[in-house]
């Protein structure tokens, strides 16, 4: 999402579980949008596939964690082909008509109005769009492997990062300053005025201070 400007701007990433999700990548549009370009849809396909590819690159295996992403990718690619006419091979056509059964609780069914040969072509186009996004996501992650490792380590440490922090991680910069802790009584400190080493006096109450006894 960080490397795809045609998608919605990256807002926040967290590894804190939310609902059924083990982690969430949040993107927020800069303004209300009612029409979406093909480039925007292809970018979303690429983003949704990145989690599965990261598993393959770093774990050498696959998990069920990408199940929802894969479902959304397949649905999105099929809509691009069947509803929005965004396929070069299928052309500016729609395939499959939705019918509402009003007297059956408004159940929506889809009527297949194309041949078996066309169905095979649709499946091939859906697969082509998904695989193209897969290769694009894989290329991005492989080229930025070190940045991805830094981002993973930062998330393990802080759990949630906003866009400004993510940008610093990508550039290899520190994202948060270390919090100064109070020195325990009796520990040596350096005076800012003289540069001499001093000792922190222990805190005592009036009844313990011999000067006020």
């Amino acid at each position: 999402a960080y490397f795809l400007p045609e998608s919605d701007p990256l807002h926040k990433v967290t590894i804190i579980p939310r609902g059924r999700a083990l982690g969430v990548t949040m993107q927020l549009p800069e303004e209300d949008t009612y029409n979406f370009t093909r480039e925007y849809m292809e970018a979303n396909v690429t983003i949704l596939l990145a989690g599965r590819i990261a598993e393959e690159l770093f774990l050498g295996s696959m998990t069920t964690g990408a199940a929802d992403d894969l479902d959304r990718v397949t649905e999105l690619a099929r809509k691009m082909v069947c509803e929005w006419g965004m396929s070069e091979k299928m052309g500016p056509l729609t395939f499959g008509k939705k019918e509402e059964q009003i007297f059956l609780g408004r159940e929506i069914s889809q009527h297949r109005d194309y041949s078996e040969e066309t169905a095979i072509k649709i499946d091939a186009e859906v697969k082509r769009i998904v695989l193209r996004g897969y290769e694009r996501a894989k290329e991005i992650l492989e080229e930025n492997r070190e940045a991805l490792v830094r981002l993973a380590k930062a998330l393990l440490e802080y759990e949630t990062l906003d866009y400004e922090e993510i940008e610093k991680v990508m550039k290899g910069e520190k994202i948060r300053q270390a919090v100064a802790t109070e020195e325990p009584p009796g520990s040596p400190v350096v005076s800012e005025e003289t540069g001499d080493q001093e000792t922190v006096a222990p805190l005592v109450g009036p009844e313990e201070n011999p000067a006020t006894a």
Side-chain angles (χ1 to χ4, degrees):
Y2 178 83
F3 290 104
L4 295 175
E6 58 268 30
S7 66
D8 289 329
L10 184 60
H11 174 61
K12 184 181 295 184
V13 177
T14 179
I15 58 173
I16 299 176
R18 298 175 183 271
R20 297 177 60 185
L22 297 179
V24 180
T25 297
M26 304 177 190
Q27 294 174 260
L28 292 179
E30 296 178 342
E31 57 186 14
D32 292 338
T33 307
Y34 301 97
N35 289 323
F36 300 96
T37 65
R38 183 172 67 178
E39 291 75 18
Y40 175 86
M41 295 300 172
E42 290 176 343
N44 283 341
V45 169
T46 302
I47 292 169
L48 289 169
L49 290 169
R52 164 53 62 85
I53 297 172
E55 289 180 344
E56 297 177 8
L57 290 178
F58 291 92
L59 303 180
S61 183
M62 303 178 187
T63 72
T64 59
D68 183 63
D69 294 335
L70 297 179
D71 183 59
R72 292 167 60 189
V73 161
T74 306
E75 181 182 3
L76 184 57
R78 187 166 293 277
K79 285 185 176 181
M80 290 175 66
V81 176
C82 297
E83 297 184 22
W84 301 328
M86 293 182 177
S87 167
E88 298 90 342
K89 292 186 178 181
M90 302 308 298
L93 301 172
T94 61
F95 302 93
K97 294 182 179 179
K98 293 183 179 180
E99 301 177 350
E100 293 186 358
Q101 305 295 331
I102 299 177
F103 300 104
L104 297 176
R106 297 184 65 85
E107 295 180 358
I108 299 178
S109 61
Q110 190 167 8
H111 173 64
R112 178 170 162 176
D113 57 354
Y114 47 86
S115 65
E116 186 66 29
E117 180 181 356
T118 300
I120 295 175
K121 292 181 180 179
I122 290 174
D123 291 340
E125 271 298 276
V126 170
K127 184 177 181 179
R128 185 186 65 84
I129 291 174
V130 173
L131 291 182
R132 184 169 60 184
Y134 179 91
E135 293 300 327
R136 186 182 183 189
K138 186 176 182 180
E139 181 180 352
I140 292 174
L141 293 185
E142 287 180 338
E143 291 179 354
N144 300 277
R145 191 183 185 100
E146 294 182 359
L148 182 58
V149 172
R150 291 197 302 269
L151 182 60
K153 290 181 178 179
L155 284 170
L156 287 174
E157 183 176 358
Y158 300 110
E159 295 185 337
T160 300
L161 300 175
D162 58 24
Y163 176 77
E164 289 75 15
E165 293 171 331
I166 293 171
E167 191 170 32
K168 288 183 179 180
V169 171
M170 290 297 181
K171 296 178 180 179
E173 302 174 359
K174 292 183 178 180
I175 58 176
R176 299 178 187 177
Q177 297 293 334
V179 179
T181 57
E182 294 184 359
E183 297 292 342
S187 59
V189 295
V190 178
S191 173
E192 296 181 357
E193 297 180 358
T194 64
D196 297 332
Q197 195 175 69
E198 300 176 351
T199 302
V200 179
L203 299 178
V204 294
E207 67 282 355
E208 300 174 1
N209 193 339
T212 59

